[in-house]
Amino acid sequence: IHPDARTRLLHDAETNKIALSTRSVVTFYRQGFFRNPEATLEYRLTRDAMEEMTRDIVRTGIGRISGLLESAGIGPSQVAMCLVTGGMASMPIIRSRLNELFGPQRVEVPDNSATLIAQGAAWVAHDRQRLRLARTIELELARASYLPVLPAETEMPIEKEVKKKSYNLYCVDPRDGSAKFQLCMPERIGSNTQSSDTRHPLGSIVVAVDSNARPFRERLELELRIDDDMILHASAWSSEIKDRAETEFHDLEFGISLPGDRDASGGDPDPFDDGPARAHQPGDLVVRSNISSETDKSLVPGELLQSYEPSYFRRDAHPPQVQIEEWLYYQPCAVCGRASSDTDCHCASGTT
């Protein structure tokens, strides 16, 4: 085979693959393909044979569509229109499988399907429409509260531009020597998110802190940068230990905000809303956030706060019940000295 034969063969394959969308058979024919001048490449390929070759790939693609619908809680019958784009839209087997899934009356294959995405991108560029963040990026704080650090509708950077935001935070519970930054996104699209909305994590950053420091003494810094490749760079560092860590997130979601658009706050039903967050199940392992954006003592674990400020738990001070329970949980039994969770402690019940 000549050195450049593979490139020419791939070109023929692309041309013939397109031709098989409207024809039942094609022929690969190349003179001078082999070094032997008497040998000629000639191969007859039918549409049925090509569909058999690509059957597993098509099945995988259709499976991903079904999986996406299932994850969003939407059935194929709820889809009003399936707009097929890209060169593969011309393949009869793909049209056939989409017709089976959605019904032929709801599958739309435009004449310009192969160039539709490129034309849309050209219109966006001409109209100078900026991409915007589709979901709010949040930082999980102590006591399961959330701080919006990059709100939905934040404009994405254009070429040679960087979006940057910084936050000054505190370490609420430094006893394990680590401050845990957890970035997450709510399932709900738009800025109208609720504390009960389901969230999924983007990732975590952990930096070392002074384990002997009291709550709120260790200052923390968080810097977020989005570059023109739509990559989120997150950096965090501690003021006392001066430890630093950083990471990148590549799976941001963004879209175009068009005139007259309304997000979930405008009253339109949100098809991606999964309802209240799933309750933790037995055996679940979770990471408790230990950072805060304010010096609020109610965020400090009760057993830690009692160790250096016992007056906080005076009855007339009315401390939060959850902190009282945390403090008492880690207090040993006054009679036998066992931990409160020890099943061998029967002092409170009066049994022996």
Side-chain angles (χ1 to χ4, degrees):
I1 299 176
H2 284 298
D4 63 341
R6 177 175 294 275
T7 301
R8 287 184 285 142
L9 181 60
L10 288 174
H11 175 74
D12 289 345
E14 175 72 11
T15 302
N16 288 330
K17 179 188 67 174
I18 294 173
L20 282 175
S21 294
T22 55
R23 295 167 55 185
S24 60
V25 62
V26 295
T27 300
F28 289 80
Y29 184 82
R30 274 281 181 182
Q31 287 184 321
F33 185 81
F34 301 101
R35 292 184 184 274
N36 181 358
E38 297 180 1
T40 300
L41 173 67
E42 186 173 358
Y43 178 75
R44 185 174 181 270
L45 178 64
T46 66
R47 180 191 293 176
D48 290 342
M50 191 188 72
E51 290 183 351
E52 184 61 33
M53 295 175 189
T54 58
R55 192 173 304 279
D56 289 342
I57 300 175
V58 174
R59 183 184 298 115
T60 300
I62 297 297
R64 289 181 178 176
I65 294 174
S66 300
L68 176 63
L69 294 175
E70 183 178 352
S71 67
I74 299 174
S77 61
Q78 295 175 271
V79 176
M81 181 181 69
C82 171
L83 180 64
V84 192
T85 63
M88 294 296 98
S90 298
M91 289 185 65
I93 187 174
I94 291 181
R95 293 193 188 192
S96 175
R97 293 300 305 275
L98 290 174
N99 287 339
E100 293 174 5
L101 183 62
F102 296 107
Q105 71 279 6
R106 286 180 287 150
V107 176
E108 179 71 23
V109 185
D111 294 336
N112 62 338
S113 60
T115 59
L116 193 61
I117 298 299
Q119 290 174 354
W123 288 336
V124 169
H126 177 271
D127 295 341
R128 299 185 182 277
Q129 287 287 341
R130 298 286 294 269
L131 294 176
R132 297 175 181 269
L133 201 62
R135 304 176 194 270
T136 299
I137 296 178
E138 300 173 326
L139 177 68
E140 184 175 355
L141 302 178
R143 302 291 184 190
S145 59
Y146 300 92
L147 174 67
V149 290
L150 289 174
E153 295 293 320
T154 297
E155 282 191 349
M156 295 290 97
I158 57 177
E159 188 176 7
K160 298 181 180 179
E161 186 179 62
V162 175
K163 294 284 187 177
K164 182 187 298 185
K165 294 195 74 173
S166 299
Y167 292 89
N168 300 313
L169 304 161
Y170 303 92
C171 186
V172 174
D173 184 2
R175 286 176 295 175
D176 63 356
S178 300
K180 309 166 192 70
F181 298 79
Q182 298 184 80
L183 292 171
C184 58
M185 286 194 306
E187 291 290 344
R188 186 189 298 269
I189 292 176
S191 57
N192 188 30
T193 57
Q194 308 297 323
S195 59
S196 60
D197 287 343
T198 304
R199 288 164 169 83
H200 64 86
L202 276 176
S204 302
I205 308 175
V206 179
V207 296
V209 296
D210 183 3
S211 60
N212 297 316
R214 285 190 177 184
F216 309 116
R217 291 289 176 86
E218 184 87 42
R219 302 298 195 273
L220 305 171
E221 303 288 336
L222 175 66
E223 181 181 271
L224 302 174
R225 294 180 294 110
I226 302 180
D227 61 23
D228 54 2
D229 289 324
M230 312 299 178
I231 297 175
L232 173 61
H233 304 263
S235 303
W237 60 93
S238 53
S239 60
E240 186 65 26
I241 299 297
K242 301 189 184 305
D243 185 36
R244 186 184 184 96
E246 55 187 35
T247 188
E248 296 179 354
F249 305 102
H250 297 252
D251 51 350
L252 303 185
E253 298 181 25
F254 42 84
I256 301 172
S257 182
L258 299 177
D261 275 0
R262 292 191 298 170
D263 62 10
S265 62
D268 290 336
D270 180 7
F272 295 96
D273 182 13
D274 290 336
R278 180 185 71 91
H280 291 304
Q281 302 297 317
D284 280 359
L285 180 66
V286 297
V287 176
R288 186 181 68 181
S289 177
N290 64 341
I291 60 178
S292 171
S293 58
E294 56 183 342
T295 56
D296 182 354
K297 290 182 181 179
S298 66
L299 302 176
V300 182
E303 76 280 6
L304 173 59
L305 189 58
Q306 197 277 337
S307 67
Y308 69 88
E309 192 176 337
S311 60
Y312 179 85
F313 292 92
R314 298 194 322 268
R315 288 189 177 182
D316 59 345
H318 304 292
Q321 184 62 29
V322 64
Q323 287 179 299
I324 296 176
E325 293 174 358
E326 289 171 341
W327 164 42
L328 294 178
Y329 182 83
Y330 288 98
Q331 282 286 100
C333 176
V335 178
C336 66
R338 293 186 174 92
S340 63
S341 59
D342 194 328
T343 56
D344 290 334
C345 174
H346 305 289
C347 304
S349 63
T351 59
T352 58

